[in-house]
């Protein structure tokens, strides 16, 4: 049996209301030589039955493979199962609540095949309730131009270390399957930051890449991966980000990428600020938040932030000072002030959650 040009890996969990839009966006692609690998990660909403029903009704049984996990293994392992089953020359990913524009595959694969490109990346739409969409482009002026090493590393590797020039998610890309399998990336089974690490490990293996100026992926903002902050959850997130920082730092050292040092430290400081600030809601939780900050400071997991003291721009930053002097109260008061300044952003997020879960997500 002839192997397809593109393998599309889609993972599903509690995705039932989004499945028809995703499937038909693939069935209606102008490029037809694809296979779709659907991973139902033991979803309680009978995703498997709906996928197979629509696939059978539309006559795509030969192109769609549905794998049902016996237990929930998480986003990471679900994607890995898709990679292991992929037969295509190229692979691309789609999340269970998103969808593709009609020419997405064609626009990526045409130059990929013409120039033998390893990694093609397109723009995307950030989708809000009520059909509102925001175009998000990669920061480049080199569309439809084959790029090669060392230019790739020089210009775009920094995206994985705190300066976002390209979208670092799994989705919105076409990648040679062999390169994905050569990567030393180990799945961490945590939804935050895994996409970035997956692409970071692939990047040094690339010999060529291309940007295409097409908004082909629709990313549902505030979708099924959203969650609220609490002390326990925030502690997990902060510890997880510390581990991601360590992985990125070691990877940058391995590849002699010194320009990553400063943006990574700034990013680490901002992670602490943003996540602690999300907890500074009332005076009732003050002692609990300060206790959490103390725990973080004493654990030394964020101690690299003190390196910013040597940078004049950040030497007087209260978060940097607080970590350096182990002053939990200074960090708390800084985060509390930041929390109060961010009320508009919180209000917007609350509206999005309301429309997503109370009314239903309407997007055309």
């Amino acid at each position: 049996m002839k192997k397809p040009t593109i393998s599309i890996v889609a993972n599903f969990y509690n995705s039932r209301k989004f499945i028809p839009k995703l499937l038909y966006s693939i069935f209606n692609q102008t490029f037809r030589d694809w296979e779709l690998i659907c991973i139902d990660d033991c979803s309680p909403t009978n995703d498997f039955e709906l996928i197979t029903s629509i696939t059978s009704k539309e006559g795509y049984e030969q192109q769609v493979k549905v794998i049902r996990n016996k237990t929930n293994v998480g986003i990471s392992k679900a994607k890995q199962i898709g990679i292991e089953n992929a037969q295509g020359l190229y692979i691309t990913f789609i999340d269970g609540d998103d969808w593709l524009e009609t020419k997405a595959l064609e626009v990526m694969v045409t130059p990929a095949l013409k120039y033998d490109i390893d990694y093609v990346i397109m723009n995307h739409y950030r989708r809000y309730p009520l059909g509102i969409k925001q175009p998000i482009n990669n920061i480049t002026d080199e569309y439809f131009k084959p790029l090669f090493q060392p230019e790739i590393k020089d210009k775009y590797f920094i995206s994985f270390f705190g300066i976002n020039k390209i979208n670092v998610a799994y989705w919105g890309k076409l990648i040679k399957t062999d390169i994905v399998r050569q990567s030393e990336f180990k799945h961490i089974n945590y939804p935050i930051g895994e996409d970035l690490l997956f692409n970071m490990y692939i990047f040094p293996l690339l010999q060529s890449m291309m940007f295409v100026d097409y908004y082909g992926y629709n990313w549902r903002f505030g979708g099924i991966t959203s969650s609220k902050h609490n002390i326990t959850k925030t502690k997990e997130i902060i510890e997880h980000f510390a581990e991601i920082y360590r992985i990125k730092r070691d990877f940058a050292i391995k590849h002699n990428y010194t320009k990553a040092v400063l943006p990574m430290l700034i990013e680490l400081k901002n992670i602490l600020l943003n996540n602690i600030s999300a907890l500074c809601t009332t005076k009732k939780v003050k002692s609990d938040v300060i206790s959490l900050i103390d725990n973080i400071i004493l654990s030394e997991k964020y101690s690299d932030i003190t390196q910013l003291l040597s940078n004049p721009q950040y030497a007087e930053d209260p978060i940097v000072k607080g970590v350096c002097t182990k002053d939990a109260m200074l960090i708390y008061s800084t985060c509390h002030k930041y929390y109060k300044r961010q009320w508009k952003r919180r209000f917007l997020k609350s509206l999005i959650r309301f429309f997503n879960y109370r009314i239903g997500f309407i997007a055309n």
Side-chain angles (χ1 to χ4, degrees):
M1 182 177 177
K2 179 181 176 293
K3 293 183 178 181
T5 302
I6 301 175
S7 294
I8 308 164
V9 174
N11 56 289
F12 300 92
Y13 184 82
N14 282 346
S15 306
R16 188 175 181 85
K17 64 180 178 179
F18 306 118
I19 287 172
K21 193 173 190 71
L22 183 152
L23 289 180
Y24 282 108
S25 79
I26 294 172
F27 296 163
N28 293 329
Q29 286 295 304
T30 54
F31 183 79
R32 310 299 299 169
D33 188 18
W34 51 260
E35 67 171 355
L36 173 62
I37 303 170
C38 299
I39 313 298
D40 173 12
D41 196 19
C42 197
S43 177
T45 55
N46 294 321
D47 293 2
F48 177 87
E49 287 79 4
L50 182 58
I51 294 168
T52 53
S53 174
I54 294 175
T55 298
S56 176
K57 174 186 173 184
E58 301 299 333
Y60 283 93
E61 297 97 329
Q62 298 301 313
Q63 286 183 263
V64 179
K65 182 176 184 179
V66 188
I67 300 171
R68 190 176 197 177
N69 294 337
K70 294 181 179 179
T71 59
N72 179 260
V73 299
I75 295 173
S76 304
K77 291 184 179 179
K79 282 187 167 62
Q80 183 59 40
I81 290 169
I83 293 169
E84 291 169 357
N85 283 272
Q87 298 294 313
L89 173 64
Y90 287 93
I91 192 168
T92 191
F93 299 90
I94 183 169
D95 287 345
D97 54 340
D98 297 336
W99 71 99
L100 299 178
E101 293 294 309
T102 306
K103 293 184 178 180
L105 298 183
E106 177 186 350
V107 171
M108 288 193 294
V109 77
T110 300
L113 294 174
K114 180 178 180 179
Y115 298 105
D116 191 27
I117 302 295
D118 294 338
Y119 188 95
V120 180
I121 178 169
M122 61 182 170
N123 300 327
H124 68 277
Y125 288 117
R126 180 181 292 174
R127 290 284 188 160
Y128 298 98
L130 304 179
I132 300 170
K133 64 181 181 180
Q134 177 186 5
I136 307 292
N137 63 292
N138 296 287
I139 309 303
T140 184
D141 57 0
E142 300 181 292
Y143 289 109
F144 298 104
K145 171 187 174 184
L147 303 172
F148 304 96
Q149 296 291 11
E151 183 181 13
I152 295 171
K153 181 179 178 180
D154 290 344
K155 291 184 177 180
Y156 300 107
F157 199 31
I158 195 66
S159 299
F160 305 103
F161 303 100
I163 299 179
N164 298 327
K165 289 190 173 184
I166 67 172
N167 161 34
V168 297
Y170 274 105
W171 43 260
K173 301 167 185 67
L174 195 67
I175 313 168
K176 280 190 177 176
T177 306
D178 285 347
I179 291 177
V180 173
R181 289 177 175 152
Q182 290 169 23
S183 168
E184 297 178 357
F185 172 66
K186 305 297 181 186
H187 291 266
I188 55 178
N189 204 26
Y190 202 89
I192 299 174
E194 182 187 326
D195 297 47
L196 181 147
L197 295 180
F198 170 81
N199 283 284
M200 182 185 77
Y201 274 85
I202 285 174
F203 228 69
L205 302 176
L206 302 178
Q207 294 303 312
S208 58
M209 71 175 288
M210 178 181 285
F211 295 95
V212 294
D213 192 12
Y214 180 72
Y215 295 88
Y217 191 95
N218 293 281
W219 174 55
R220 203 180 293 267
F221 182 78
I224 57 179
T225 57
S226 297
S227 62
K228 293 183 179 180
H229 279 73
N230 57 52
I231 294 287
T232 302
K233 183 68 174 177
T234 299
K235 183 176 184 293
E236 291 177 0
I237 291 172
I238 288 174
E239 289 179 348
H240 178 73
F241 270 123
E243 176 62 14
I244 289 177
Y245 165 76
R246 183 195 63 77
I247 294 171
K248 294 201 302 181
R249 181 195 63 195
D250 293 349
F251 200 76
I253 291 171
K254 177 181 177 181
H255 292 275
N256 194 30
Y257 198 61
T258 56
K259 69 166 67 175
V261 175
L262 180 59
M264 274 197 296
L265 292 173
I266 297 170
E267 185 180 49
L268 191 66
K269 175 190 75 73
N270 290 337
I271 286 168
L272 199 59
L273 172 64
N274 289 322
N275 283 283
I276 295 297
S277 296
L279 297 174
C280 298
T281 54
T282 65
K283 291 182 179 180
K284 292 181 181 179
V285 298
K286 181 176 179 179
S287 60
D288 292 333
V289 177
I290 291 175
S291 177
L292 172 63
I293 296 169
D294 266 327
N295 181 275
I296 294 165
I297 293 172
L298 293 174
S299 72
E300 301 291 329
K301 291 180 179 178
Y302 278 72
S303 61
D304 278 9
I305 289 175
T306 60
Q307 295 177 35
L308 288 171
L309 284 171
S310 62
N311 187 302
Q313 186 176 350
Y314 296 96
E316 298 301 317
D317 188 291
I319 297 295
V320 176
K321 282 187 171 181
V323 173
C324 184
T325 60
K326 300 188 185 303
D327 188 341
M329 189 61 209
L330 176 58
I331 295 174
Y332 173 83
S333 61
T334 303
C335 291
H336 185 57
K337 291 175 183 176
Y338 183 77
Y339 172 82
K340 290 192 290 187
R341 292 200 303 268
Q342 295 295 307
W343 69 269
K344 290 182 180 179
R345 184 178 181 183
R346 294 196 303 276
F347 178 70
L348 177 60
K349 285 188 174 182
S350 296
L351 279 180
I352 291 173
R353 281 197 297 269
F354 174 79
F355 279 109
N356 281 354
Y357 298 105
R358 297 294 178 85
I359 296 178
F361 200 115
I362 305 171
N364 298 312

